Amino acid sequence: MKLGLVIDLDVCVGCHGCAVSCKQWNTSGMTGALTDYNPYGQDPSGVWFNRIRSYEVGDYPNNKTINFPMSCMHCEQADCVDVCPTGASYKRVEDGIVLVDQDKCMGCNYCSWACPYGARELDRSTGTMKKCTLCLDRIYDERLEEVDRQPSCVITCPAHARHFGDFDDPDSNVSKLVRERGGYQLMPELGYSPTNRYLPPRVTRLIPTEDVSKKSLISSVKEWVNKMVER
């Protein structure tokens, strides 16, 4: 089994709902609190498993804002695991999830430097490295309804941009989405073989603007008079 996420860049609106939900769930979950530094000061920051970056691509009128959620990719060739001197970072054989044993981690940052996706964050309050767990304590919790056994970010996303499933199953929803929409790995040339995939934005029809005529002097005067009458 190879568990991971598919993220649809065509419908992600950059609302940060996934990031906030992730923080809320995991603060009370298996990894312990995700620290906030100076949360009510002028320069608040903290530990997050999910971060959303926004980019403007293309030139007007063909430009588009792309919101790009980033978290651990749960790579098949995970260098973050190979470089860990204490064995704290490990990849589960049974489902491919990459985790950090908080009792073994000494916060040396080697795994962070080895990760090309910036997915690991050092929690300065505990001195240990933290990262996405795919909500391990949720997806295997049989006390939950089956529909709720998904990562918190997937359940929360209001645009349904995030999907969770088994990539080893060709009939899973994530495998079908990747086949049908041309899902791709991020920076595959590095050889890490990340499990998570992204669905590219669809090509949309341009909205013509040439037929939008400028207002005439008469219509502008009428509009101004109407506003004065309303006041």
Side-chain angles (χ1 to χ4, degrees):
M1 187 160 58
K2 187 167 64 176
L3 298 178
L5 300 173
V6 166
I7 299 173
D8 189 346
L9 299 179
D10 192 49
V11 297
C12 176
V13 295
C15 69
H16 288 71
C18 55
V20 174
S21 172
C22 165
K23 187 157 179 123
Q24 187 280 329
W25 176 262
N26 286 291
T27 290
S28 57
M30 61 182 292
T31 61
L34 303 185
T35 308
D36 285 325
Y37 308 117
N38 192 24
Y40 305 110
Q42 293 184 345
D43 186 24
S45 62
V47 180
W48 298 77
F49 289 169
N50 271 285
R51 292 188 183 272
I52 296 87
R53 295 170 172 83
S54 298
Y55 305 92
E56 193 74 11
V57 297
D59 297 318
Y60 178 83
N62 300 316
N63 57 322
K64 183 181 177 75
T65 300
I66 302 296
N67 301 296
F68 209 101
M70 294 278 292
S71 61
C72 175
M73 301 288 168
H74 300 281
C75 301
E76 292 187 53
Q77 305 300 323
D79 270 15
C80 58
V81 172
D82 296 338
V83 301
C84 181
T86 66
S89 289
Y90 63 102
K91 186 173 178 66
R92 287 162 52 105
V93 175
E94 61 268 38
D95 54 22
I97 297 177
V98 176
L99 296 174
V100 177
D101 185 334
Q102 297 293 303
D103 293 331
K104 294 182 179 178
C105 180
M106 62 179 186
C108 67
N109 271 291
Y110 282 2
C111 60
S112 177
W113 297 334
C115 174
Y117 305 109
R120 291 177 171 242
E121 296 200 12
L122 178 67
D123 188 333
R124 300 199 300 269
S125 68
T126 62
T128 58
M129 198 60 66
K130 292 181 175 176
K131 61 174 291 301
C132 164
T133 67
L134 277 181
C135 289
L136 188 70
D137 52 348
R138 184 184 185 99
I139 61 177
Y140 287 113
D141 189 348
E142 296 185 353
R143 295 170 297 178
L144 298 175
E145 297 290 335
E146 188 169 351
V147 69
D148 290 327
R149 294 178 205 163
Q150 300 185 68
S152 181
C153 60
V154 175
I155 293 176
T156 301
C157 180
H160 304 293
R162 304 175 76 99
H163 305 269
F164 168 71
D166 180 10
F167 286 88
D168 270 350
D169 178 3
D171 295 323
S172 68
N173 65 326
V174 289
S175 295
K176 290 179 181 176
L177 282 169
V178 168
R179 281 199 305 272
E180 295 168 0
R181 295 276 308 281
Y184 63 89
Q185 299 172 320
L186 188 62
M187 296 189 288
E189 66 276 13
L190 298 179
Y192 292 84
S193 190
T195 298
N196 288 4
R197 305 294 174 89
Y198 290 91
L199 304 182
R202 297 180 178 90
V203 177
T204 57
R205 179 178 61 86
L206 292 178
I207 300 175
T209 57
E210 293 80 5
D211 57 343
V212 178
S213 58
K214 295 182 180 179
K215 294 180 181 178
S216 66
L217 178 60
I218 295 176
S219 63
S220 297
V221 171
K222 285 183 178 178
E223 185 177 330
W224 179 82
V225 170
N226 288 335
K227 286 183 178 178
M228 292 302 102
V229 170
E230 290 179 358
R231 292 175 61 185

PDB file of all heavy atoms in Angstrom, residues 55-82:
ATOM      1  N   TYR A  55       1.349  31.933  -6.663  1.00  0.00           N
ATOM      2  CA  TYR A  55       2.165  32.445  -7.755  1.00  0.00           C
ATOM      3  C   TYR A  55       1.261  33.020  -8.842  1.00  0.00           C
ATOM      4  O   TYR A  55       0.165  32.528  -9.072  1.00  0.00           O
ATOM      5  CB  TYR A  55       3.022  31.335  -8.376  1.00  0.00           C
ATOM      6  CG  TYR A  55       3.895  30.611  -7.394  1.00  0.00           C
ATOM      7  CD1 TYR A  55       3.430  29.450  -6.773  1.00  0.00           C
ATOM      8  CD2 TYR A  55       5.159  31.075  -7.087  1.00  0.00           C
ATOM      9  CE1 TYR A  55       4.228  28.772  -5.858  1.00  0.00           C
ATOM     10  CE2 TYR A  55       5.969  30.404  -6.175  1.00  0.00           C
ATOM     11  CZ  TYR A  55       5.495  29.247  -5.567  1.00  0.00           C
ATOM     12  OH  TYR A  55       6.269  28.577  -4.670  1.00  0.00           O
ATOM     13  N   GLU A  56       1.747  34.048  -9.524  1.00  0.00           N
ATOM     14  CA  GLU A  56       1.059  34.591 -10.681  1.00  0.00           C
ATOM     15  C   GLU A  56       1.809  34.100 -11.915  1.00  0.00           C
ATOM     16  O   GLU A  56       3.019  34.350 -12.056  1.00  0.00           O
ATOM     17  CB  GLU A  56       1.049  36.127 -10.622  1.00  0.00           C
ATOM     18  CG  GLU A  56       0.100  36.779 -11.620  1.00  0.00           C
ATOM     19  CD  GLU A  56      -1.369  36.627 -11.214  1.00  0.00           C
ATOM     20  OE1 GLU A  56      -1.633  36.212 -10.075  1.00  0.00           O
ATOM     21  OE2 GLU A  56      -2.237  36.943 -12.051  1.00  0.00           O
ATOM     22  N   VAL A  57       1.115  33.377 -12.797  1.00  0.00           N
ATOM     23  CA  VAL A  57       1.767  32.836 -13.995  1.00  0.00           C
ATOM     24  C   VAL A  57       1.123  33.427 -15.241  1.00  0.00           C
ATOM     25  O   VAL A  57      -0.061  33.784 -15.245  1.00  0.00           O
ATOM     26  CB  VAL A  57       1.658  31.299 -14.040  1.00  0.00           C
ATOM     27  CG1 VAL A  57       2.377  30.685 -12.862  1.00  0.00           C
ATOM     28  CG2 VAL A  57       0.211  30.855 -14.052  1.00  0.00           C
ATOM     29  N   GLY A  58       1.908  33.547 -16.302  1.00  0.00           N
ATOM     30  CA  GLY A  58       1.403  34.062 -17.563  1.00  0.00           C
ATOM     31  C   GLY A  58       1.336  35.576 -17.564  1.00  0.00           C
ATOM     32  O   GLY A  58       1.554  36.247 -16.554  1.00  0.00           O
ATOM     33  N   ASP A  59       1.064  36.114 -18.746  1.00  0.00           N
ATOM     34  CA  ASP A  59       0.956  37.557 -18.928  1.00  0.00           C
ATOM     35  C   ASP A  59      -0.481  37.934 -19.241  1.00  0.00           C
ATOM     36  O   ASP A  59      -1.215  37.173 -19.878  1.00  0.00           O
ATOM     37  CB  ASP A  59       1.876  38.016 -20.074  1.00  0.00           C
ATOM     38  CG  ASP A  59       3.337  37.742 -19.764  1.00  0.00           C
ATOM     39  OD1 ASP A  59       3.742  37.982 -18.605  1.00  0.00           O
ATOM     40  OD2 ASP A  59       4.056  37.274 -20.667  1.00  0.00           O
ATOM     41  N   TYR A  60      -0.894  39.124 -18.792  1.00  0.00           N
ATOM     42  CA  TYR A  60      -2.252  39.602 -19.036  1.00  0.00           C
ATOM     43  C   TYR A  60      -2.558  39.634 -20.540  1.00  0.00           C
ATOM     44  O   TYR A  60      -1.697  40.058 -21.312  1.00  0.00           O
ATOM     45  CB  TYR A  60      -2.408  41.014 -18.463  1.00  0.00           C
ATOM     46  CG  TYR A  60      -3.782  41.606 -18.716  1.00  0.00           C
ATOM     47  CD1 TYR A  60      -4.838  41.299 -17.877  1.00  0.00           C
ATOM     48  CD2 TYR A  60      -3.997  42.454 -19.804  1.00  0.00           C
ATOM     49  CE1 TYR A  60      -6.091  41.815 -18.112  1.00  0.00           C
ATOM     50  CE2 TYR A  60      -5.258  42.977 -20.040  1.00  0.00           C
ATOM     51  CZ  TYR A  60      -6.303  42.657 -19.196  1.00  0.00           C
ATOM     52  OH  TYR A  60      -7.549  43.159 -19.429  1.00  0.00           O
ATOM     53  N   PRO A  61      -3.717  39.196 -21.021  1.00  0.00           N
ATOM     54  CA  PRO A  61      -4.876  38.737 -20.249  1.00  0.00           C
ATOM     55  C   PRO A  61      -4.888  37.232 -19.988  1.00  0.00           C
ATOM     56  O   PRO A  61      -5.913  36.689 -19.600  1.00  0.00           O
ATOM     57  CB  PRO A  61      -6.033  39.125 -21.146  1.00  0.00           C
ATOM     58  CG  PRO A  61      -5.490  38.903 -22.522  1.00  0.00           C
ATOM     59  CD  PRO A  61      -4.027  39.300 -22.444  1.00  0.00           C
ATOM     60  N   ASN A  62      -3.752  36.564 -20.222  1.00  0.00           N
ATOM     61  CA  ASN A  62      -3.699  35.105 -20.044  1.00  0.00           C
ATOM     62  C   ASN A  62      -3.056  34.720 -18.708  1.00  0.00           C
ATOM     63  O   ASN A  62      -2.575  33.594 -18.555  1.00  0.00           O
ATOM     64  CB  ASN A  62      -2.924  34.477 -21.198  1.00  0.00           C
ATOM     65  CG  ASN A  62      -3.563  34.764 -22.544  1.00  0.00           C
ATOM     66  OD1 ASN A  62      -4.783  34.673 -22.682  1.00  0.00           O
ATOM     67  ND2 ASN A  62      -2.761  35.126 -23.535  1.00  0.00           N
ATOM     68  N   ASN A  63      -2.994  35.666 -17.784  1.00  0.00           N
ATOM     69  CA  ASN A  63      -2.389  35.359 -16.491  1.00  0.00           C
ATOM     70  C   ASN A  63      -3.383  34.639 -15.578  1.00  0.00           C
ATOM     71  O   ASN A  63      -4.591  34.668 -15.808  1.00  0.00           O
ATOM     72  CB  ASN A  63      -1.887  36.637 -15.820  1.00  0.00           C
ATOM     73  CG  ASN A  63      -2.990  37.650 -15.653  1.00  0.00           C
ATOM     74  OD1 ASN A  63      -3.838  37.789 -16.536  1.00  0.00           O
ATOM     75  ND2 ASN A  63      -2.998  38.349 -14.551  1.00  0.00           N
ATOM     76  N   LYS A  64      -2.840  33.983 -14.549  1.00  0.00           N
ATOM     77  CA  LYS A  64      -3.668  33.221 -13.629  1.00  0.00           C
ATOM     78  C   LYS A  64      -2.935  33.075 -12.303  1.00  0.00           C
ATOM     79  O   LYS A  64      -1.712  32.894 -12.295  1.00  0.00           O
ATOM     80  CB  LYS A  64      -3.954  31.832 -14.208  1.00  0.00           C
ATOM     81  CG  LYS A  64      -4.879  30.949 -13.367  1.00  0.00           C
ATOM     82  CD  LYS A  64      -5.065  29.601 -14.039  1.00  0.00           C
ATOM     83  CE  LYS A  64      -5.919  28.668 -13.197  1.00  0.00           C
ATOM     84  NZ  LYS A  64      -7.324  28.973 -13.218  1.00  0.00           N
ATOM     85  N   THR A  65      -3.664  33.171 -11.206  1.00  0.00           N
ATOM     86  CA  THR A  65      -3.076  32.951  -9.890  1.00  0.00           C
ATOM     87  C   THR A  65      -3.150  31.466  -9.551  1.00  0.00           C
ATOM     88  O   THR A  65      -4.217  30.865  -9.620  1.00  0.00           O
ATOM     89  CB  THR A  65      -3.817  33.759  -8.808  1.00  0.00           C
ATOM     90  OG1 THR A  65      -3.727  35.149  -9.126  1.00  0.00           O
ATOM     91  CG2 THR A  65      -3.218  33.515  -7.435  1.00  0.00           C
ATOM     92  N   ILE A  66      -1.999  30.881  -9.222  1.00  0.00           N
ATOM     93  CA  ILE A  66      -1.944  29.471  -8.834  1.00  0.00           C
ATOM     94  C   ILE A  66      -1.616  29.390  -7.348  1.00  0.00           C
ATOM     95  O   ILE A  66      -0.614  29.933  -6.894  1.00  0.00           O
ATOM     96  CB  ILE A  66      -0.854  28.713  -9.628  1.00  0.00           C
ATOM     97  CG1 ILE A  66      -1.118  28.817 -11.135  1.00  0.00           C
ATOM     98  CG2 ILE A  66      -0.798  27.258  -9.185  1.00  0.00           C
ATOM     99  CD1 ILE A  66      -2.390  28.150 -11.591  1.00  0.00           C
ATOM    100  N   ASN A  67      -2.483  28.739  -6.601  1.00  0.00           N
ATOM    101  CA  ASN A  67      -2.240  28.492  -5.182  1.00  0.00           C
ATOM    102  C   ASN A  67      -1.675  27.084  -5.034  1.00  0.00           C
ATOM    103  O   ASN A  67      -2.285  26.121  -5.502  1.00  0.00           O
ATOM    104  CB  ASN A  67      -3.544  28.631  -4.393  1.00  0.00           C
ATOM    105  CG  ASN A  67      -4.138  30.011  -4.560  1.00  0.00           C
ATOM    106  OD1 ASN A  67      -3.540  31.002  -4.154  1.00  0.00           O
ATOM    107  ND2 ASN A  67      -5.315  30.096  -5.183  1.00  0.00           N
ATOM    108  N   PHE A  68      -0.512  26.990  -4.396  1.00  0.00           N
ATOM    109  CA  PHE A  68       0.246  25.738  -4.409  1.00  0.00           C
ATOM    110  C   PHE A  68       0.464  25.235  -2.982  1.00  0.00           C
ATOM    111  O   PHE A  68       1.393  25.652  -2.295  1.00  0.00           O
ATOM    112  CB  PHE A  68       1.601  25.980  -5.082  1.00  0.00           C
ATOM    113  CG  PHE A  68       2.155  24.783  -5.760  1.00  0.00           C
ATOM    114  CD1 PHE A  68       2.062  24.644  -7.131  1.00  0.00           C
ATOM    115  CD2 PHE A  68       2.774  23.775  -5.022  1.00  0.00           C
ATOM    116  CE1 PHE A  68       2.576  23.532  -7.764  1.00  0.00           C
ATOM    117  CE2 PHE A  68       3.284  22.653  -5.654  1.00  0.00           C
ATOM    118  CZ  PHE A  68       3.185  22.538  -7.029  1.00  0.00           C
ATOM    119  N   PRO A  69      -0.397  24.323  -2.497  1.00  0.00           N
ATOM    120  CA  PRO A  69      -0.197  23.756  -1.153  1.00  0.00           C
ATOM    121  C   PRO A  69       1.033  22.847  -1.126  1.00  0.00           C
ATOM    122  O   PRO A  69       1.271  22.071  -2.053  1.00  0.00           O
ATOM    123  CB  PRO A  69      -1.472  22.941  -0.917  1.00  0.00           C
ATOM    124  CG  PRO A  69      -2.463  23.462  -1.907  1.00  0.00           C
ATOM    125  CD  PRO A  69      -1.644  23.858  -3.108  1.00  0.00           C
ATOM    126  N   MET A  70       1.797  22.969  -0.049  1.00  0.00           N
ATOM    127  CA  MET A  70       3.005  22.156   0.096  1.00  0.00           C
ATOM    128  C   MET A  70       3.019  21.484   1.464  1.00  0.00           C
ATOM    129  O   MET A  70       2.729  22.102   2.475  1.00  0.00           O
ATOM    130  CB  MET A  70       4.253  23.042  -0.021  1.00  0.00           C
ATOM    131  CG  MET A  70       4.454  23.664  -1.382  1.00  0.00           C
ATOM    132  SD  MET A  70       5.241  22.535  -2.526  1.00  0.00           S
ATOM    133  CE  MET A  70       6.877  22.403  -1.813  1.00  0.00           C
ATOM    134  N   SER A  71       3.353  20.202   1.456  1.00  0.00           N
ATOM    135  CA  SER A  71       3.553  19.460   2.701  1.00  0.00           C
ATOM    136  C   SER A  71       4.500  18.314   2.381  1.00  0.00           C
ATOM    137  O   SER A  71       5.036  18.249   1.270  1.00  0.00           O
ATOM    138  CB  SER A  71       2.212  18.934   3.250  1.00  0.00           C
ATOM    139  OG  SER A  71       1.611  18.045   2.334  1.00  0.00           O
ATOM    140  N   CYS A  72       4.701  17.400   3.315  1.00  0.00           N
ATOM    141  CA  CYS A  72       5.567  16.258   3.058  1.00  0.00           C
ATOM    142  C   CYS A  72       5.021  15.452   1.888  1.00  0.00           C
ATOM    143  O   CYS A  72       3.829  15.200   1.798  1.00  0.00           O
ATOM    144  CB  CYS A  72       5.667  15.377   4.297  1.00  0.00           C
ATOM    145  SG  CYS A  72       6.602  13.853   4.017  1.00  0.00           S
ATOM    146  N   MET A  73       5.924  15.041   0.977  1.00  0.00           N
ATOM    147  CA  MET A  73       5.518  14.283  -0.205  1.00  0.00           C
ATOM    148  C   MET A  73       5.564  12.771   0.036  1.00  0.00           C
ATOM    149  O   MET A  73       5.203  12.003  -0.830  1.00  0.00           O
ATOM    150  CB  MET A  73       6.447  14.619  -1.382  1.00  0.00           C
ATOM    151  CG  MET A  73       6.460  16.086  -1.763  1.00  0.00           C
ATOM    152  SD  MET A  73       4.933  16.576  -2.560  1.00  0.00           S
ATOM    153  CE  MET A  73       5.122  18.358  -2.543  1.00  0.00           C
ATOM    154  N   HIS A  74       6.061  12.340   1.204  1.00  0.00           N
ATOM    155  CA  HIS A  74       6.174  10.915   1.537  1.00  0.00           C
ATOM    156  C   HIS A  74       6.886  10.157   0.404  1.00  0.00           C
ATOM    157  O   HIS A  74       6.352   9.198  -0.173  1.00  0.00           O
ATOM    158  CB  HIS A  74       4.801  10.326   1.856  1.00  0.00           C
ATOM    159  CG  HIS A  74       4.158  11.013   3.022  1.00  0.00           C
ATOM    160  ND1 HIS A  74       4.492  10.761   4.328  1.00  0.00           N
ATOM    161  CD2 HIS A  74       3.234  12.007   3.072  1.00  0.00           C
ATOM    162  CE1 HIS A  74       3.788  11.538   5.151  1.00  0.00           C
ATOM    163  NE2 HIS A  74       3.020  12.310   4.412  1.00  0.00           N
ATOM    164  N   CYS A  75       8.087  10.654   0.091  1.00  0.00           N
ATOM    165  CA  CYS A  75       8.863  10.146  -1.054  1.00  0.00           C
ATOM    166  C   CYS A  75       9.194   8.656  -0.901  1.00  0.00           C
ATOM    167  O   CYS A  75       9.418   8.147   0.204  1.00  0.00           O
ATOM    168  CB  CYS A  75      10.163  10.926  -1.172  1.00  0.00           C
ATOM    169  SG  CYS A  75       9.948  12.701  -1.388  1.00  0.00           S
ATOM    170  N   GLU A  76       9.251   7.994  -2.064  1.00  0.00           N
ATOM    171  CA  GLU A  76       9.682   6.588  -2.049  1.00  0.00           C
ATOM    172  C   GLU A  76      11.181   6.496  -1.778  1.00  0.00           C
ATOM    173  O   GLU A  76      11.639   5.584  -1.106  1.00  0.00           O
ATOM    174  CB  GLU A  76       9.325   5.936  -3.384  1.00  0.00           C
ATOM    175  CG  GLU A  76       7.827   5.788  -3.601  1.00  0.00           C
ATOM    176  CD  GLU A  76       7.512   4.996  -4.848  1.00  0.00           C
ATOM    177  OE1 GLU A  76       8.042   3.882  -4.995  1.00  0.00           O
ATOM    178  OE2 GLU A  76       6.745   5.509  -5.684  1.00  0.00           O
ATOM    179  N   GLN A  77      11.953   7.413  -2.339  1.00  0.00           N
ATOM    180  CA  GLN A  77      13.392   7.490  -2.069  1.00  0.00           C
ATOM    181  C   GLN A  77      13.615   8.688  -1.146  1.00  0.00           C
ATOM    182  O   GLN A  77      14.000   9.770  -1.597  1.00  0.00           O
ATOM    183  CB  GLN A  77      14.173   7.650  -3.379  1.00  0.00           C
ATOM    184  CG  GLN A  77      13.902   6.580  -4.410  1.00  0.00           C
ATOM    185  CD  GLN A  77      14.264   5.184  -3.911  1.00  0.00           C
ATOM    186  OE1 GLN A  77      15.249   5.009  -3.196  1.00  0.00           O
ATOM    187  NE2 GLN A  77      13.471   4.193  -4.286  1.00  0.00           N
ATOM    188  N   ALA A  78      13.342   8.507   0.111  1.00  0.00           N
ATOM    189  CA  ALA A  78      13.341   9.619   1.064  1.00  0.00           C
ATOM    190  C   ALA A  78      14.741   9.841   1.641  1.00  0.00           C
ATOM    191  O   ALA A  78      15.171   9.123   2.550  1.00  0.00           O
ATOM    192  CB  ALA A  78      12.327   9.345   2.169  1.00  0.00           C
ATOM    193  N   ASP A  79      15.444  10.846   1.131  1.00  0.00           N
ATOM    194  CA  ASP A  79      16.772  11.150   1.651  1.00  0.00           C
ATOM    195  C   ASP A  79      16.724  11.633   3.098  1.00  0.00           C
ATOM    196  O   ASP A  79      17.698  11.502   3.834  1.00  0.00           O
ATOM    197  CB  ASP A  79      17.428  12.223   0.770  1.00  0.00           C
ATOM    198  CG  ASP A  79      18.216  11.599  -0.366  1.00  0.00           C
ATOM    199  OD1 ASP A  79      18.018  10.398  -0.619  1.00  0.00           O
ATOM    200  OD2 ASP A  79      19.020  12.312  -0.997  1.00  0.00           O
ATOM    201  N   CYS A  80      15.572  12.215   3.490  1.00  0.00           N
ATOM    202  CA  CYS A  80      15.438  12.668   4.881  1.00  0.00           C
ATOM    203  C   CYS A  80      15.605  11.493   5.836  1.00  0.00           C
ATOM    204  O   CYS A  80      16.078  11.660   6.963  1.00  0.00           O
ATOM    205  CB  CYS A  80      14.084  13.345   5.081  1.00  0.00           C
ATOM    206  SG  CYS A  80      12.657  12.289   4.680  1.00  0.00           S
ATOM    207  N   VAL A  81      15.213  10.306   5.403  1.00  0.00           N
ATOM    208  CA  VAL A  81      15.367   9.099   6.219  1.00  0.00           C
ATOM    209  C   VAL A  81      16.823   8.626   6.198  1.00  0.00           C
ATOM    210  O   VAL A  81      17.398   8.270   7.234  1.00  0.00           O
ATOM    211  CB  VAL A  81      14.429   7.982   5.708  1.00  0.00           C
ATOM    212  CG1 VAL A  81      14.712   6.660   6.427  1.00  0.00           C
ATOM    213  CG2 VAL A  81      12.968   8.386   5.889  1.00  0.00           C
ATOM    214  N   ASP A  82      17.419   8.668   5.010  1.00  0.00           N
ATOM    215  CA  ASP A  82      18.790   8.156   4.866  1.00  0.00           C
ATOM    216  C   ASP A  82      19.798   8.967   5.671  1.00  0.00           C
ATOM    217  O   ASP A  82      20.791   8.412   6.163  1.00  0.00           O
ATOM    218  CB  ASP A  82      19.183   8.157   3.383  1.00  0.00           C
ATOM    219  CG  ASP A  82      18.324   7.196   2.561  1.00  0.00           C
ATOM    220  OD1 ASP A  82      17.753   6.263   3.161  1.00  0.00           O
ATOM    221  OD2 ASP A  82      18.219   7.392   1.335  1.00  0.00           O
TER     222      ASP A  82
END
